[in-house]
Amino acid sequence: DQQVKQNSPSLSVQEGRISILNCDYTNSMFDYFLWYKKYPAEGPTFLISISSIKDKNEDGRFTVFLNKSAKHLSLHIVPSQPGDSAVYFCAAAKGGSQGNLIFGKGTKLSVKP
Amino acid sequence: DADVTQTPRNRITKTGKRIMLECSQTKGHDRMYWYRQDPGLGLRLIYYSFDVKDINKGEISDGYSVSRQAQAKFSLSLESAIPNQTALYFCATNQYSNQPQHFGDGTRLSIL
């Protein structure tokens, strides 16, 4: 049973426009959420995180929104750039879980020039 | 130099062989993790360790074992490899549970 779901396997966006990647979770005990970006032949790299005590966290072009009542988070990339083309993984952890992350299946983002 | 180094990067082997994948880190982190990624799936946790004397099973530990030889080294073994263990394997580290994990570049393992 998937606890972290990324229902869109792929997303295509024009350069300069906004990219919105979505993630849903089922376990209300999750209180720490992260987004990772992965290029081919490389390991995932950390992008941005959010604690459940917040509903928004921003870092440059990247913003993560958390809606606890809907058990939903999203990653916004504005403006999108061709270098943002990668697979994006959403991950979640429970408080006191000592860092064990549960990952979604990923969404492949393609940003077209 | 990479903070988290995995060796080998690629390995092709036969069913029944014993395989060891190695991970070393220069970040000085206490916590280390082994994950497996299959096509179209997210990363799944195999084993994790919070210090040299600590080993814990993850979601999919059957068929695998690990050894934490030192703070900086965490190896994953397949005692008798089988084809459905063909996957991309990642090692990761962090210091505290509320910090992001840092990943190596992965080992692509193919079992024929």
Side-chain angles (χ1 to χ4, degrees), chain B residues 77-96:
Chain B
S77 294
L78 288 68
E79 295 301 327
S80 180
I82 56 177
N84 74 2
Q85 292 177 311
T86 292
L88 194 51
Y89 290 84
F90 289 103
C91 174
T93 76
N94 66 355
Q95 185 62 22
Y96 301 111

Side-chain angles (χ1 to χ4, degrees), chain A:
Chain A
D1 184 30
Q2 266 192 287
Q3 297 186 67
V4 178
K5 301 178 184 179
Q6 294 178 256
N7 292 319
S8 298
S10 62
L11 175 67
S12 183
V13 171
Q14 204 68 31
E15 181 179 6
R17 306 295 291 268
I18 184 171
S19 295
I20 300 176
L21 296 98
N22 293 303
C23 179
D24 297 295
Y25 61 96
T26 58
N27 193 329
S28 58
M29 298 298 291
F30 288 144
D31 64 356
Y32 179 51
F33 304 89
L34 307 89
W35 284 95
Y36 282 84
K37 178 169 71 174
K38 185 183 180 303
Y39 293 119
E42 294 183 9
T45 55
F46 169 70
L47 196 55
I48 192 169
S49 65
I50 188 167
S51 162
S52 62
I53 62 174
K54 295 185 175 182
D55 55 17
K56 176 182 174 181
N57 189 25
E58 194 171 356
D59 184 1
R61 297 185 297 115
F62 302 91
T63 303
V64 56
F65 294 93
L66 176 62
N67 183 333
K68 290 186 290 294
S69 61
K71 294 190 179 68
H72 176 83
L73 66 156
S74 60
L75 174 67
H76 293 211
I77 306 174
V78 184
S80 301
Q81 300 173 354
D84 296 328
S85 296
V87 177
Y88 289 78
F89 290 100
C90 170
K94 289 181 276 188
S97 69
Q98 301 177 321
N100 291 352
L101 298 177
I102 307 298
F103 284 84
K105 293 183 178 182
T107 296
K108 184 175 182 179
L109 173 65
S110 299
V111 180
K112 299 182 178 180

